[in-house]
C-alpha cells in the first residue's frame, strides 16, 4: 500500500489536470452512513430506498404536498446539516490549494467538500443547502425564503424569483435529470483530466458511474490515470477501469497521499 501511495503522489505532482470523483463512502467518517455498504441506508432499510424512488414523482404530482412533507416529516437529511468534514475532505481541499487537484465532482449532497474549503465542487446529485427552480434551474439559498412561514400560511410551494417557476430542493431525486449545467461541466472536467481519484463510491449509479468509463474510453487520445480509494473493490476495479485500488478508509489514505505530495513539493519535485 505504501508503495502505491508514493506512486500516486508522484503521478499527482506530475499531472496536468487531476480531478476527484467522490461518493458517500467519503462522508461515512463524518458520521453519515453510506447507502450500499454494510451499514448503508439502503442496505439496512430497502423500504427507504423504495420511497426515495417515489420522491420525484411526488414532487411532480403535487409540489405543495412534497413541500409540506419535506418541512414536517422526519428525514435522515436533517443530520447532514450538523455533519463536519473529515480528514478525507480536508486532504482533497488541501490538494486543491496546492493547485494539484482542479475539481471535485461529488455525488454527495452534504456540502462537506465546501465546508472543508474546496472551491471547485460540482454537486452532481445536488446540494442540501440549496433550492433549485424546476423550470429555469436557478438556485437559491433557503434563507431567502421563509419556508416555515409559507407552510404556516399555506402558501407552499416556494416560487422562483426569476421565472416564477416552482422551487424544489437542489437534491437530485432518483429518475430526475442531473441539472444540465452540472452534467455539462462534469463531462468537460472528465474529458480534460489526466488523473482521476475515485473516492468512496460503489460506482453503481448512473449516469455518474459513466464518468470513469468515459475517461478510460478517452485513453486513445490521452492516458488518464484512474485511482480508486475505497473500502471494497467495485465494478470499476473488476472491469479494469481503475489502474490501482487503494483499499481502505478514505479518511486515512487521502491524508497519506497528501503527506507524500507535500514531501515531493518540499523537495522541489
Ligand atoms: N472509506 C472508503 N470507502 C468507504 C468508506 C470509507 N470510510 N465507507 C464506505 N466506503 C465505500 C463502500 O464500501 C462503498 O463501496 O464507499 C462506497 C459507498 O457506496 P454507496 O453507498 O453506493 O454510495 P455512492 O456510490 O455514493 O452512491 C451513489 O446512490 O443512492 C444514490 O444518490 C445516492 O449519491 C448516491 C448514489
Amino acid at each position: 500500500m505504501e508503495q502505491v501511495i508514493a506512486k500516486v503522489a508522484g503521478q499527482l505532482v506530475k499531472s496536468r489536470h487531476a480531478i476527484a470523483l467522490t461518493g458517500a463512502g467519503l462522508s461515512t467518517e463524518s458520521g453519515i452512513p453510506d447507502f450500499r455498504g454494510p451499514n448503508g441506508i439502503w442496505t439496512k432499510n430497502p423500504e427507504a430506498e423504495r420511497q426515495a424512488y417515489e420522491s420525484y414523482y411526488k414532487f411532480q404530482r403535487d409540489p405543495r404536498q412534497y413541500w409540506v412533507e419535506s418541512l414536517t416529516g422526519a428525514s435522515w437529511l436533517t443530520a447532514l446539516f450538523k455533519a463536519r468534514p473529515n480528514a478525507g475532505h480536508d486532504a482533497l481541499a488541501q490538494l486543491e490549494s496546492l493547485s494539484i487537484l482542479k475539481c471535485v465532482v461529488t455525488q454527495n449532497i452534504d456540502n462537506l467538500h465546501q465546508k472543508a474549503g474546496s472551491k471547485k465542487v460540482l454537486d452532481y446529485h445536488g446540494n442540501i443547502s440549496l433550492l433549485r427552480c424546476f423550470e429555469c434551474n436557478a438556485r437559491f439559498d433557503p434563507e431567502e425564503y421563509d419556508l416555515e412561514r409559507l407552510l404556516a400560511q399555506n402558501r407552499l410551494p416556494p416560487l422562483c424569483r426569476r421565472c416564477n417557476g416552482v422551487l424544489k430542493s437542489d437534491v437530485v431525486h432518483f429518475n430526475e435529470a442531473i441539472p444540465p449545467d452540472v452534467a455539462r461541466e462534469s463531462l468537460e472536467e472528465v474529458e480534460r483530466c489526466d488523473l482521476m481519484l475515485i473516492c468512496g463510491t460503489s460506482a453503481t449509479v448512473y449516469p455518474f458511474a459513466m464518468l470513469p468509463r468515459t475517461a478510460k474510453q478517452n485513453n486513445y487520445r490521452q492516458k488518464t490515470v484512474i485511482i480508486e480509494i475505497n473500502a471494497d473493490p467495485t465494478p470499476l476495479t473488476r472491469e479494469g477501469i481503475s489502474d490501482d485500488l487503494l483499499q481502505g478508509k478514505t479518511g486515512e489514505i487521502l491524508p497519506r497521499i497528501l503527506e507524500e505530495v507535500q514531501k515531493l513539493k518540499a523537495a522541489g519535485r
Side-chain angles (χ1 to χ4, degrees), residues 24 28-29 34-36 42 107 125 201-202 205 230-232 248 250:
T28 53
E29 293 166 77
D34 63 9
F35 296 96
R36 299 172 186 82
W42 304 154
Q107 297 173 95
H125 289 162
T201 178
S202 61
V205 173
N230 210 66
D232 307 300
T250 47

Side-chain angles (χ1 to χ4, degrees), residues 178-189:
I178 304 299
D181 51 350
V182 169
R184 184 183 58 253
E185 223 180 320
S186 300
L187 204 50
E188 285 165 2
E189 287 294 331

Side-chain angles (χ1 to χ4, degrees), residues 3-260:
Q3 277 176 322
V4 180
I5 285 176
K7 183 180 79 169
V8 170
Q11 290 168 323
L12 273 167
V13 168
K14 285 197 203 90
S15 69
R16 194 183 33 74
H17 197 90
I19 67 173
L21 271 53
T22 69
L26 187 71
S27 294
T28 53
E29 293 166 77
S30 293
I32 301 171
D34 63 9
F35 296 96
R36 299 172 186 82
N39 296 311
I41 299 174
W42 304 154
T43 311
K44 289 168 81 171
N45 185 353
E47 176 56 21
E49 183 172 17
R50 198 197 60 70
Q51 282 172 12
Y53 272 85
E54 287 299 310
S55 301
Y56 186 45
Y57 299 124
K58 267 188 189 169
F59 169 77
Q60 289 179 300
R61 259 197 318 270
D62 184 347
R64 193 194 73 78
Q65 187 54 27
Y66 164 95
W67 272 104
V68 168
E69 287 175 18
S70 304
L71 294 171
T72 54
S75 159
W76 58 274
L77 292 173
T78 321
L80 300 193
F81 287 101
K82 297 191 194 88
R84 302 300 309 152
N86 64 61
H89 299 100
D90 294 341
L92 291 176
Q94 288 186 56
L95 284 170
E96 181 190 52
S97 61
L98 288 169
S99 307
I100 286 182
L101 198 68
K102 308 297 185 200
C103 177
V104 172
V105 185
T106 186
Q107 297 173 95
N108 301 338
I109 60 174
D110 53 32
N111 202 42
L112 290 184
H113 284 298
Q114 291 90 337
K115 283 183 182 172
S118 288
K119 300 283 179 287
K120 176 83 180 192
V121 180
L122 296 173
D123 290 308
Y124 204 77
H125 289 162
N127 190 309
I128 44 165
S129 65
L130 292 171
L131 305 179
R132 174 163 43 89
C133 175
F134 190 58
E135 304 300 327
C136 73
N137 210 44
R139 291 173 179 81
F140 299 93
D141 181 337
E143 295 297 313
E144 294 180 48
Y145 288 81
D146 188 341
L147 296 169
E148 292 302 330
R149 191 157 57 87
L150 293 178
L151 172 69
Q153 295 174 352
N154 196 22
R155 287 172 48 217
L156 290 167
L159 300 177
C160 174
R161 296 242 163 91
R162 201 164 80 174
C163 78
N164 214 33
V166 173
L167 297 186
K168 61 179 289 292
S169 161
D170 185 42
V171 173
V172 177
H173 295 302
F174 283 116
N175 296 315
E176 179 182 356
I178 304 299
D181 51 350
V182 169
R184 184 183 58 253
E185 223 180 320
S186 300
L187 204 50
E188 285 165 2
E189 287 294 331
V190 167
E191 302 271 354
R192 215 173 142 197
C193 79
D194 60 347
L195 191 148
M196 180 185 278
L197 298 178
I198 305 178
C199 314
T201 178
S202 61
T204 51
V205 173
Y206 286 79
F208 184 89
M210 201 53 214
L211 298 176
R213 293 169 170 90
T214 302
K216 192 79 178 179
Q217 281 160 10
N218 290 344
N219 267 356
Y220 69 93
R221 62 182 166 80
Q222 163 179 283
K223 167 74 181 148
T224 300
V225 174
I226 300 180
I227 309 291
E228 275 188 287
I229 301 158
N230 210 66
D232 307 300
T234 74
L236 298 178
T237 328
R238 290 187 284 275
E239 293 168 31
I241 302 285
S242 47
D243 298 298
D244 278 300
L245 165 66
L246 285 162
Q247 186 158 357
K249 290 187 169 186
T250 47
E252 291 167 7
I253 294 171
L254 284 168
R256 283 284 306 108
I257 292 174
L258 171 67
E259 208 178 311
E260 291 306 309

